[in-house]
Each structure stands twice: as structure tokens, then as C-alpha cells.
Amino acid sequence: ETIVKEASAMIEKEPDQPIYVLQKNTWNPGVIGLAASRLLERYGRPVILASENSHGQWVASARSLEQFNIVEAFEACRDFLTRFGGHPRAAGFSIAPEKWEPFKEKLKALAQIALTKEAVEPRLAIDLELALDEIKWPLWRDLELLAPYGAGNPEPRFLLNNLEVEEACAMGKTGQNLRIMVRSSTGVLKKLIGFSFADTDRHDVNWCERLIKGTRLDAVVEVGVNEWNGNRELQMKIVDLRMSI
């Protein structure tokens, strides 16, 4: 969280960049990848975070968008890098400190060409619109036939429209997760779980305060199974929320 907050402060000083390339020697190299993922999610731009290792080299983790293959970008900048590797949307590299600034300038120029405002407009892939009543065990069994999910086979996402909020509250040890009880137009009552959706450091909206009883919302969810103490229940994990129009 410290890295995310410090990097966010740097970004806010120069917010309109095609890619955020940031460095601080005190950042823990072991967690900069996780922090980069959080920042990508928050700002919708590729993020590279670098820190110094025990050998005096700078090591970095990158997280990118589908529209910007970060490994191809590193290939174009290979003269500056000691080594690099990874995947189109998640990669890493090491670099000598004196090569950081020219590397950063070239990378920003590449991103400027590839990432127009239209290209990075946030889009959420939705597979199907369903009624809340349709989230039942037969659906989950059908989804299991499509597994395993991962790169090239993302988990299906479903749009649930015009749900009436019965109750919304924070949950979990740190209170960062969101539980919403929602009712369909036919009176079916079910639970949605939003991991980190009650964390105001990660979301601009305080959903616990906004979702009062009787308000209506649209939700994009993934359907899974929650098991505890020998019990099993279908779980709808929130991907995104909005107030119904």
C-alpha cells in the first residue's frame, strides 16, 4: 500500500502520460509487480515501477494494456536494458541507473504512438446479460465445462441489470470487501461479493455509503462457488458496479 500511495502521488503531478514509468530506491522489489497491477487498474495506463536491488542495478516490473504489448516495447528498447522478459501485459527487466532516463523517453514515445485516447478508453468485456433468477447450480455446472480459465480463456462475465439493494456493508478482517444483498424484480434475494470494493483507496466511490436500501444498481459478476465448513453456495463476485440508469 505504501508503494501504491507514493507512486500515485508521483502520477498526480504528471497525470496525462501515455505510460507511467516510476522509480524509487526504497521500494521493495518483491512487491512492485503487485503495486503496478493496482495502479494499472486505478489509472487505466501501463505502469512500470522500478527499484534498486542489492547489486546496484535497477529492477522493474511492468503491467500493461491489451493495446500495448510491453515485451515488444522492451524489444525496441533493448539497447538500454540489461535483461528483460515476460508476457505482453506483464513483464520485467533490469537496467543500469545511468540508462534510465533515455530508456524512459523512448518508451514514452512508443506508448504515445500506440495509446491514443480512444485506444485506452476503458472497456469491460461482458459475455451475457442474465436475470438474477438465472444464477443457479445448472449454470455453474455448465461454466465448469469451460474451465480451466486463464490467459486466452477468461472467466465468463455476466451483466445483471436493475437490482434492488436490500443491504450493503463492509466485510472481512480489514473491512475492505463489500457484501450486497440484492433483490430481483421477481423478489429473488441473493448476495454479491466485491473484493476490495469497500477500499476507498482503490475505488473513487464509497459503495457502502452510496448503496442504501431501495437504490438500484447494475452489476457485472463472475459466478463461482464458496465452500466453508462443509457447506457450498454459489458466489457472485463483483467485477464492476454502476447505479441503474
Side-chain angles (χ1 to χ4, degrees):
E1 290 300 326
T2 299
I3 296 175
V4 172
K5 289 180 180 179
E6 291 178 349
S8 294
M10 295 178 185
I11 290 171
E12 296 301 333
K13 292 178 181 178
E14 295 183 273
D16 298 321
Q17 300 294 320
I19 184 171
Y20 299 116
V21 188
L22 310 170
Q23 192 278 336
K24 189 171 182 179
N25 286 348
T26 58
W27 288 341
N28 182 347
V31 296
I32 54 176
L34 177 60
S37 295
R38 295 272 184 90
L39 293 163
L40 170 68
E41 179 183 303
R42 177 179 294 181
Y43 294 103
R45 295 288 189 278
V47 176
I48 296 174
L49 300 181
S51 183
E52 187 175 46
N53 66 13
S54 58
H55 303 293
Q57 285 269 310
W58 287 2
V59 293
S61 286
R63 298 295 183 268
S64 192
L65 302 168
E66 182 180 355
Q67 301 92 327
F68 189 60
N69 186 319
I70 197 68
V71 174
E72 290 182 355
F74 290 167
E75 180 68 38
C77 299
R78 67 179 306 125
D79 290 346
F80 302 109
L81 304 177
T82 306
R83 64 175 63 89
F84 68 91
H87 305 283
R89 297 183 64 177
F93 64 87
S94 60
I95 186 172
E98 63 271 16
K99 294 185 178 181
W100 178 255
E101 287 301 325
F103 160 75
K104 184 166 70 170
E105 291 307 311
K106 182 167 184 178
L107 191 65
K108 283 187 175 182
L110 293 172
Q112 188 73 55
I113 295 169
L115 298 174
T116 61
K117 184 176 180 180
E118 291 75 17
V120 297
E121 190 70 28
R123 292 184 176 91
L124 182 61
I126 297 172
D127 294 278
L128 188 66
E129 180 178 345
L130 292 178
L132 189 63
D133 314 52
E134 296 177 283
I135 309 294
K136 298 178 180 178
W137 285 105
L139 171 67
W140 179 78
R141 286 192 283 270
D142 288 342
L143 295 177
E144 280 293 279
L145 298 176
L146 303 176
Y149 302 114
N153 186 34
E155 192 165 349
R157 291 173 171 177
F158 303 102
L159 173 63
L160 307 174
N161 274 322
N162 201 32
L163 304 173
E164 182 180 355
V165 175
E166 185 70 23
E167 179 188 45
C169 63
M171 58 175 288
K173 291 182 179 179
T174 60
Q176 292 185 326
N177 301 326
L178 177 67
R179 184 184 69 184
I180 313 174
M181 299 302 298
V182 294
R183 195 180 299 278
S184 72
S185 58
T186 61
V188 172
L189 185 66
K190 292 192 177 182
K191 177 173 61 179
L192 309 181
I193 298 295
F195 295 103
S196 298
F197 268 77
D199 183 355
T200 53
D201 286 335
R202 296 186 63 180
H203 294 275
D204 295 333
V205 178
N206 187 327
W207 289 109
C208 290
E209 292 182 357
R210 191 165 185 186
L211 295 177
I212 61 174
K213 180 178 171 63
T215 56
R216 293 188 175 273
L217 61 82
D218 305 327
V220 177
V221 302
E222 296 171 348
V223 178
V225 174
N226 183 31
E227 301 188 36
W228 82 105
N229 294 333
N231 298 310
R232 301 170 82 234
E233 69 172 3
L234 286 178
Q235 178 170 278
M236 285 176 281
K237 184 178 73 174
I238 300 168
V239 177
D240 201 10
L241 291 173
R242 71 177 183 188
M243 305 303 290
S244 294
I245 301 173

